[in-house]
Amino acid sequence: MISLSRVLAVFMKELVQMRRDRPTFAIMILVPIMQLTLFGFAIDTDPRNLPTAVELRDDGPLTRSLLASMRQSGYFKIVAQVSTDEEGESLLRSGAVSFLIVIPENFEKEFVRGERPQLLIAADASDPVAAAGPVAAVNEIARRAFAPELERLPKTLRGGAPPFEAVIHRQYNPAGETSMNIVPGLLGIILTMTLIMVTSIALTREVERGTIEALLSTPVRAGEIMIGKTTPYILIGVVQTAIVLVAARLVFSVPFMGDPAPFLLALLLFIFTNLMLGYLISTLARTQMQAMQMTFFIFLPSILLSGFMFPFAAMPKWAQAIGEALPITHFLRVVREVMLKGAGFAEIRDDVWPIGIILTVLAFAALARFRRTLD
Amino acid sequence: MKNGLVIDVSGLTKKFGGRTVVNNFDLAVPRGAIYGFLGPNGSGKTTTIRMVCGLLKPDDGAGKVLGFDVRTEASAIKERVGYMTQRFSLYEDLSIRENLEFIARLYSLDHLRDRVEASLKSLGLTDRAKQLAGKLSGGWKQRLALAACMIHEPELLLLDEPTAGVDPKARRDFWDAIRDYSAEGVTTLVSTHYMDEAVQCDRIAFIAYGEKLIDAPTADIPDLVGLSAWRIEAGDLDAATKRLKTAGGYDVLARFGAAIHLAGRDGAALKRALDTLEGLDRLSATPIAAGLEEAFIYLMAGAADNFAADNFAAGDLKTGNFTPGDPANAAQARGVT
Ligand SMILES: Nc1ncnc2c1ncn2[C@@H]1O[C@H](COP(=O)(O)OP(=O)(O)OP(=O)(O)O)[C@@H](O)[C@H]1O
Ligand SMILES: [Mg+2]
C-alpha cells in the first residue's frame, strides 16, 4: 500500500525545507533553552549547603561518620543540634533549616545487629526542586558513610537491602512528589508546544503557497505524505529532550534515576503523538493562522489539566477525564516515574499504552480528514 | 481505451458554494490530439482541467480518462497524466534539481538521476541546477514547471496556460516539442489565451460561463462563427475608429498594426458602417476572410455580455460539437491517431 520511496521523497523534501527555514529551526532549539532559563529564575538552582539541623538520640562512630559524610557531600550544612522533636520542627517551620535529621535511640546497636534501624529525615519540600537533589542523595551518602562499618558485619548482612532504612518526610508540600516535576514536566510542555506547532502548518503551508496542487497531482498517497511530513521532526524532539535533560542534570541537579530504554520508548511515542496531533490540526485548518489558534487550544489544557500545574489527584473528575485523553498527562507520569523513582518497563506500561492508543486514533483521524482533492 | 478516446467525459458539472462554475461539460479527445481550450478569464477552464485529472470531484457527470473512471480511479489517472498548473506550484525553497528529483521520486521513476539530468539539459538549466526555484524569473519558472510535469513521460498532458510569460523563442520550442510528443501518441489538452497558439491546435473547445459553446476543428471555427471581415487602412486611423464607433453595426473592431480589422455577423450593417468612412485621406477597405483571432474576439465580447442573455445564437455554434458517434468526426479522429 505505502511506497517507501515516496515516503522517503517527502521526508527528504521536508528535511531540506526545514534546514532552509532558519528562523523556525532556531526557535525549535531556542524554546527549550528559553523556557528553562525563565523557570530557572523561580527555582533555587544551587541546592548546596542547605541549612540542616540534627537531633542525636544516639551517638557513636557510625553517627559521627554519617555526619561527616553529609558535610562532605556539600548538600548539607549542619547549623544546629537540637535535643527535642519540637525544637527541630520549629526550626524547620520557621525556615531556619531546610532539613532535620534524626538519629533514633539504639541506632548503632540495632545497626550492628542487622535490625535495619530507621534514619529519619524531614525535608522542607516547599521548594521541591531544591529539595530533590539532597533527598535523592541521602541514601547514597549514608551507604558510603557506613561502608567501613559494613565491612565488619557478618557476610549474611552485607549486600541486599541496606542495613538501615532512610525514612523521608516531605513537609509543607504534601503533593511534593508531583511538584518535583517542574523540570521534567517542562520537557513535556516544551515538546507539546513546539512539535504540535511545527506540524500544524505542514499542510496549510502547502495550501497557502499553492504547492498542494502539484503535490496532489502526483500519485503520492495520504499515508505517505503523513509519515513523510511528520517523521523528520522526531529528530528535533530528541534534540530538545537532550537539551532539557542535560540542563536538568547540570543546572537544576534533577537526577535521572531510571533506565534510559523505557524512557526512550515513551519519549519517541510521545514525540510522534504530538507530531500527529499537529498534523491532524493541519488537515482541519484552512490557514496557518487557524492552525496556530488550534494549537493554543490544545496547549492550554496540556498545561492546566495534565498534572503539570496542579496535582492530578486533586482535580475534579471531569478535568481528570480530559487530562487522561491528553498524551502529555501520561508522558509526565512516565517521566516522573523514570527520572525520579527509577521505574522500569513494568511500572510505566500503564501510561505507555494510552499514548499508543492516542497516537493510533490521531493517525486514523488525520487520514480520514485528508483530502486528495482540492475541494 | 474504447474508441481511441483519451479523454471521454460527459455532463461534468462543478459548483462552488451554489454557483455553477462548469455546467454539463462534454469533452472527447482522441489519442495524439492537440486540443486547445479557450475561454475568457473565469470561464471555468482550470476547474474543468482539475476535474479531468482527479483534483476536483465533479458534482455531476462521469467519464473516463485514459480508460480510468474520473470519479473512482483518480490514482491511476494521476500516474499517467502530466498536469501543469496555471500558478507556479513547485517549491520555491527547493533548488531546481531538488524539485525535479522530488517529483521524479513521487512517480517512483527508475534511473532517477539520468532523467533529472536529461530534463535539466533539455531545459538548458544544468548550470543553474542548484539555484532556488523561487529565484527564477517568471518565464523560467514556467519552463521548470513544464519540465517537471513531463518528467514521468505521461500519456496525457494537461497544460493550464503553460506559456504565460514565456518569451517567443521558448514558446516556439515548446510547441515544437508538443507536436513531437503528439506524433509519438501523447495527447495534449492545453488552455491558452494566445491566438498564435490556438491555431496550432487540431481542435478547439471554447468555454464561457462554464458552458461549452464551440467544439470544432480549428480551421472550421471562423466559418462556424460566420463573420464577414474587412481590412481598413487610412491616413488617420484614430479618426476612422471614431467614425466606426459612432456608426456601430459591427461586432469586432480591432487594430492590427497599421490597419483596422472590422468584422461582424451582419454583412449589410458592416457595409453601412464602412460607408461612413467616405472622404477620409488615403482610405482603403478590402474584404478579408475572417480569421481565428476575429472569431475569438467576437466570442469573448459575446461572453462579456453574458451568453446567458442569449444575444448570441449559441445553439448554431454547437453544431460543431465533436460527438464520438458522429461519422464526420470519427474520420477526423482517425486522422490524428
Ligand atoms: N476553489 C474555488 N472556490 C470557489 N470558487 C472558485 C474556486 N475555483 C474557481 N472558482 C471560481 O470558478 C470560476 C472559474 O474559475 P477557473 O479558474 O476555472 O477559470 P479559468 O477559465 O481557468 O480562468 P483564467 O483564464 O483566469 O485562468 C471563477 O469564477 C472562480 O472564481
Ligand atoms: Mg485558469
Side-chain angles (χ1 to χ4, degrees), chain A residues 3 5-6 9-10 12-13 16-17 20 206 208-211 213-221 372-375, chain B residues 14 50 54-57 75 78-79 81 83 85 87-91 93-95 98 102-103 105-108 132:
Chain A
S3 146
S5 70
R6 283 199 293 255
V10 179
M12 294 202 309
K13 181 213 108 188
V16 172
Q17 287 187 307
R20 300 231 165 103
E206 302 249 2
E208 285 191 354
R209 292 186 184 171
T211 50
E213 197 174 359
L215 185 65
L216 292 182
S217 72
T218 71
V220 70
R221 286 168 201 279
R372 286 194 70 199
T373 62
L374 297 169
D375 292 88
Chain B
K14 186 72 195 174
R50 283 174 176 169
L55 274 178
L56 283 176
K57 264 232 172 333
S75 296
K78 284 175 182 177
E79 270 172 44
V81 167
Y83 169 46
T85 57
R87 187 182 144 193
F88 184 72
S89 56
L90 292 174
Y91 296 90
D93 50 353
L94 294 189
S95 73
E98 285 161 349
F102 176 59
I103 298 293
R105 284 205 181 94
L106 291 186
Y107 285 104
S108 315
L132 293 188

Side-chain angles (χ1 to χ4, degrees), chain B residues 71-307:
Chain B
R71 286 178 169 279
T72 57
E73 294 172 304
S75 296
I77 294 174
K78 284 175 182 177
E79 270 172 44
R80 294 162 178 83
V81 167
Y83 169 46
M84 177 174 165
T85 57
Q86 179 172 2
R87 187 182 144 193
F88 184 72
S89 56
L90 292 174
Y91 296 90
E92 305 214 331
D93 50 353
L94 294 189
S95 73
I96 295 166
R97 174 180 276 121
E98 285 161 349
N99 268 301
L100 290 174
E101 283 182 356
F102 176 59
I103 298 293
R105 284 205 181 94
L106 291 186
Y107 285 104
S108 315
L109 298 182
D110 51 357
H111 307 299
L112 193 120
R113 304 243 157 216
D114 296 344
R115 280 184 202 247
V116 170
E117 284 314 316
S119 179
L120 282 170
K121 203 166 160 219
S122 73
L123 265 173
L125 283 176
T126 313
D127 297 338
R128 292 157 74 187
K130 283 200 177 122
Q131 194 178 339
L132 293 188
K135 300 250 162 76
L136 287 172
S137 74
W140 278 105
K141 276 186 187 166
Q142 291 293 100
R143 291 163 74 168
L144 170 61
L146 197 61
C149 84
M150 291 186 181
I151 201 159
H152 61 297
E153 295 170 8
E155 294 168 55
L156 170 63
L157 285 170
L158 300 172
L159 309 175
D160 200 354
E161 300 189 29
T163 58
V166 172
D167 66 48
K169 162 83 170 65
R171 264 167 65 186
R172 186 157 304 190
D173 294 347
F174 163 75
W175 277 94
D176 288 345
I178 295 292
R179 260 193 307 277
D180 289 345
Y181 288 130
S182 171
E184 291 166 20
V186 175
T187 312
T188 305
L189 176 65
V190 53
S191 81
T192 179
H193 291 298
Y194 297 122
M195 285 311 127
D196 59 327
E197 295 189 352
V199 294
Q200 307 219 35
C201 299
D202 303 326
R203 239 185 124 87
I204 286 174
F206 183 88
I207 182 173
Y209 286 89
E211 305 269 357
K212 190 170 75 175
L213 297 181
I214 293 187
D215 189 342
T218 309
D220 299 353
I221 289 179
D223 285 348
L224 270 170
V225 177
L227 293 178
S228 320
W230 293 80
R231 179 185 164 86
I232 299 156
E233 280 169 85
D236 186 352
L237 282 179
D238 290 339
T241 305
K242 206 175 272 169
R243 287 199 198 179
L244 288 169
K245 281 198 171 151
T246 329
Y250 59 86
D251 292 304
V252 180
L253 187 160
R255 282 282 277 271
F256 279 79
I260 295 171
H261 285 197
L262 194 70
R265 277 162 74 91
D266 185 345
L270 218 55
K271 202 85 175 74
R272 278 196 297 280
L274 281 173
D275 288 343
T276 65
L277 294 179
E278 218 47 64
L280 275 178
D281 185 32
R282 278 177 288 149
L283 178 74
S284 88
T286 39
I288 52 170
L292 208 54
E293 179 122 22
E294 287 85 15
F296 281 113
I297 294 175
Y298 170 65
L299 288 171
M300 302 260 179
D305 296 340
N306 194 344
F307 284 109

Side-chain angles (χ1 to χ4, degrees), chain A residues 136-152:
Chain A
V138 131
N139 259 311
E140 190 52 36
I141 290 170
R143 210 194 313 255
R144 224 172 271 161
F146 301 147
E149 213 57 42
L150 232 50
E151 291 295 306
R152 273 180 255 141

Side-chain angles (χ1 to χ4, degrees), chain A residues 151-195:
Chain A
E151 291 295 306
R152 273 180 255 141
L153 285 176
K155 271 217 158 48
T156 46
L157 292 174
R158 271 186 257 157
F164 62 92
E165 188 186 353
V167 178
I168 297 163
H169 285 293
R170 289 184 179 79
Q171 299 190 1
Y172 315 123
N173 187 356
E177 282 195 301
T178 327
S179 330
M180 270 238 346
N181 300 319
I182 291 183
V183 170
L186 218 47
L187 174 61
I189 294 292
I190 289 167
L191 291 176
T192 299
M193 189 165 98
T194 52
L195 297 180

Side-chain angles (χ1 to χ4, degrees), chain A residues 76-351:
Chain A
F76 306 96
K77 184 179 175 199
I78 296 169
V79 295
Q81 189 162 350
V82 296
S83 44
T84 63
D85 282 354
E86 289 71 40
E87 213 179 320
E89 289 287 332
S90 89
L91 279 177
L92 200 58
R93 203 175 311 122
S94 70
V97 298
S98 298
F99 290 93
L100 172 64
I101 292 168
V102 182
I103 312 275
E105 286 99 2
N106 303 324
F107 181 83
E108 308 248 338
K109 214 189 295 167
E110 288 177 15
F111 183 94
V112 178
R113 282 200 217 119
E115 288 172 10
R116 305 194 72 225
Q118 290 190 333
L119 188 63
L120 299 171
I121 298 150
D124 174 358
S126 56
D127 185 350
V129 174
V135 163
V138 131
N139 259 311
E140 190 52 36
I141 290 170
R143 210 194 313 255
R144 224 172 271 161
F146 301 147
E149 213 57 42
L150 232 50
E151 291 295 306
R152 273 180 255 141
L153 285 176
K155 271 217 158 48
T156 46
L157 292 174
R158 271 186 257 157
F164 62 92
E165 188 186 353
V167 178
I168 297 163
H169 285 293
R170 289 184 179 79
Q171 299 190 1
Y172 315 123
N173 187 356
E177 282 195 301
T178 327
S179 330
M180 270 238 346
N181 300 319
I182 291 183
V183 170
L186 218 47
L187 174 61
I189 294 292
I190 289 167
L191 291 176
T192 299
M193 189 165 98
T194 52
L195 297 180
I196 294 181
M197 200 137 69
V198 77
T199 43
S200 72
I201 56 167
L203 287 173
T204 40
R205 194 175 54 182
E206 302 249 2
V207 171
E208 285 191 354
R209 292 186 184 171
T211 50
I212 191 83
E213 197 174 359
L215 185 65
L216 292 182
S217 72
T218 71
V220 70
R221 286 168 201 279
E224 294 158 356
I225 296 180
M226 182 172 85
I227 298 172
K229 271 184 169 293
T230 48
T231 44
Y233 296 98
I234 289 181
L235 210 71
I236 295 277
V238 170
V239 170
Q240 291 180 327
T241 306
I243 293 175
V244 174
L245 288 187
V246 167
R249 187 58 170 265
L250 297 184
V251 186
F252 301 103
S253 305
V254 177
F256 192 101
M257 309 280 284
D259 187 355
F263 175 75
L264 204 64
L265 170 81
L267 176 72
L268 290 180
L269 210 55
F270 177 64
I271 289 177
F272 202 38
T273 306
N274 279 326
L275 293 172
M276 203 54 79
L277 187 52
Y279 188 77
L280 176 63
I281 288 177
S282 84
T283 65
L284 296 165
R286 292 189 170 270
T287 63
Q288 299 198 29
M289 195 63 196
Q290 279 181 12
M292 285 298 147
Q293 285 163 346
M294 287 189 213
T295 303
F296 277 98
F297 188 74
I298 302 282
F299 191 41
L300 226 56
S302 293
I303 291 184
L304 298 177
L305 306 181
S306 63
F308 172 73
M309 204 84 154
F310 309 112
F312 196 80
M315 296 192 319
K317 277 276 171 293
W318 62 266
Q320 286 189 2
I322 297 174
E324 292 285 352
L326 296 167
I328 186 174
T329 307
H330 301 279
F331 181 67
L332 289 187
R333 285 183 201 149
V334 170
V335 177
R336 184 186 316 151
E337 294 284 318
V338 174
M339 277 184 82
L340 306 175
K341 295 188 190 160
F345 273 115
E347 289 95 335
I348 64 166
R349 204 183 47 208
D350 281 351
D351 278 307

